[in-house]
Amino acid sequence: MPTALITGITGQDGSYLAELLLAKGYRVYGVVRRSSTTPYERIAHLVDRIELVSADLLDQTSLTDAVYDTQPDEIYNLAAQSFVQTSWTQPVLTGEFTALGVTRILEAMRKAAPKARFYQASSSEMYGKVQETPQREETPFYPRSPYGVAKVYGHWITVNYRESFNLYAVSGILFNHESPRRGTEFVTRKVTDAVARIKLGLATEVRLGNLDARRDWGFAGDYVDAMWRMLQQDTPDDYVIGTGRTWTVQHLVERAFGCVGLDWREYVKQDPKYFRPAEVDLLVADPTKARERLGWTPTVEFDDLVKIMVEADLARHARA
């Protein structure tokens, strides 16, 4: 039975990855921070099938102990301060978690389980002010937020540990990926949640920023499959994961409100406070390498994904 250790298991990607690995017969450990509360909503259906270990990306000793105690075959580092907007108000904390946290987990692996295989969650936000379109593995990085800068550090420290210590360490440069488990602070889920509340008479409007920004959006369940595939290759390498297609935030809004028969223009208000200090206008992946080497392709179309998310939020609010 292979063993996997997942940081960020309580997040969107961590919960989908845990499901995938359990279905493949893995023993799954999840790293959680000790807390007076237990925010395990996304993994509530899995808690009796996974094992949780206490550690923190800010604490080297706890991470090393977690890796030593579990002796994983695969380590997936999905934990981070992952919201771009928050990285502007908490830039130092973002750097501690999203940048230096990667170094700490790599150090823990190097000392306690050097034969393990390591996955780092890199991000399309590293491309920022894009230098070419579409973006591929060789496209230069130009991050436009503290989050993007921290992710660039995490990406390159992973490459450095791979080349310096001969570790099996890869980075997946994932473009935006969404699901009903996405946090409501992210624009896709913010929109679908607002649509559900407006349809049920619980809200009257939703305030958004730049409606012209374009993103390459896919389904999170597809993207965790790509993570797993990266760690099954003979040699470690980095891969861009995305659909290769883009949609504007306005298209997202039109599709989401259309699912419930409402005219979005009656409910959407643009608010300057939701515009980024440095905007990232266009991100679109070139997933050719992943398709050819990993055999990976996305399975869920964006419009279908939006419908799934709207229906899930409608059901959730109706139950409440």
Side-chain angles (χ1 to χ4, degrees):
M1 179 184 290
T3 299
L5 179 67
I6 304 172
T7 71
I9 196 169
T10 60
Q12 169 189 253
D13 291 6
S15 65
Y16 280 111
L17 179 61
E19 287 178 348
L20 176 77
L21 296 178
L22 288 169
K24 292 182 180 295
Y26 279 66
R27 183 177 187 177
V28 176
Y29 289 96
V31 172
V32 293
R33 282 185 288 168
R34 190 173 299 282
S35 171
S36 59
T37 60
T38 53
Y40 300 158
E41 177 185 355
R42 295 184 182 94
I43 57 170
H45 61 300
L46 301 174
V47 290
D48 59 345
R49 300 172 61 200
I50 62 179
E51 299 173 64
L52 300 178
V53 294
S54 179
D56 195 311
L57 282 184
L58 301 185
D59 182 64
Q60 183 68 64
T61 301
S62 68
L63 289 173
T64 304
D65 288 346
V67 174
Y68 180 81
D69 292 342
T70 58
Q71 286 298 300
D73 300 293
E74 298 172 3
I75 299 171
Y76 296 86
N77 183 40
L78 310 185
Q81 190 302 100
S82 61
F83 188 43
V84 174
Q85 199 73 29
T86 296
S87 78
W88 287 106
T89 57
Q90 299 182 10
V92 175
L93 184 67
T94 298
E96 286 285 352
F97 275 114
T98 308
L100 292 178
V102 186
T103 310
R104 295 187 187 104
I105 190 71
L106 282 165
E107 269 293 286
M109 172 180 157
R110 184 174 74 89
K111 292 178 178 178
K115 299 300 182 184
R117 296 189 169 196
F118 177 84
Y119 172 85
Q120 164 61 14
S122 289
S123 169
S124 60
E125 287 287 335
M126 299 189 306
Y127 295 121
K129 187 175 180 179
V130 296
Q131 304 300 291
E132 66 175 353
T133 300
Q135 292 88 53
R136 55 199 176 96
E137 290 79 7
E138 295 78 19
T139 300
F141 299 137
Y142 196 140
R144 298 270 279 172
S145 66
Y147 170 78
V149 172
K151 279 294 186 182
V152 170
Y153 177 98
H155 178 88
W156 280 117
I157 201 67
T158 300
V159 172
N160 272 258
Y161 268 67
R162 178 171 72 214
E163 296 178 349
S164 301
F165 302 115
N166 197 31
L167 299 180
Y168 192 111
V170 308
S171 283
I173 306 173
L174 271 57
F175 282 63
N176 296 65
H177 45 289
E178 319 299 319
S179 76
R181 300 179 194 173
R182 189 59 139 157
T184 53
E185 69 272 23
F186 292 87
V187 68
T188 48
R189 185 74 193 293
K190 179 179 180 179
V191 168
T192 63
D193 181 71
V195 166
R197 289 186 293 111
I198 290 169
K199 181 65 176 179
L200 295 172
L202 303 174
T204 59
E205 67 176 27
V206 57
R207 293 182 173 270
L208 301 172
N210 182 10
L211 298 181
D212 296 322
R214 302 185 70 92
R215 292 292 184 271
D216 183 332
W217 277 303
F219 171 52
D222 287 338
Y223 287 46
V224 299
D225 174 60
M227 298 176 189
W228 176 79
R229 289 174 186 246
M230 289 180 210
L231 294 193
Q232 312 315 308
Q233 305 306 302
D234 291 336
T235 56
D237 205 350
D238 306 323
Y239 296 87
V240 163
I241 303 297
T243 70
R245 300 174 60 191
T246 62
W247 297 264
T248 63
V249 174
Q250 182 171 318
H251 176 90
L252 159 69
V253 168
E254 291 172 353
R255 173 61 177 161
F257 277 93
C259 287
V260 296
L262 296 177
D263 183 350
W264 68 274
R265 286 165 292 210
E266 297 180 18
Y267 305 99
V268 174
K269 304 290 190 294
Q270 282 192 286
D271 189 330
K273 80 175 183 178
Y274 294 114
F275 283 78
R276 295 185 183 186
E279 185 57 82
V280 175
D281 294 309
L282 173 62
L283 293 174
V284 54
D286 178 358
T288 302
K289 182 176 172 181
R291 183 176 64 248
E292 294 178 349
R293 297 193 188 179
L294 304 179
W296 179 86
T297 54
T299 65
V300 180
E301 292 290 332
F302 180 64
D303 283 356
D304 295 330
L305 174 59
V306 175
K307 185 173 185 288
I308 291 168
M309 293 173 66
V310 169
E311 290 175 348
D313 280 323
L314 278 169
R316 182 173 59 87
H317 283 295
R319 286 194 303 271

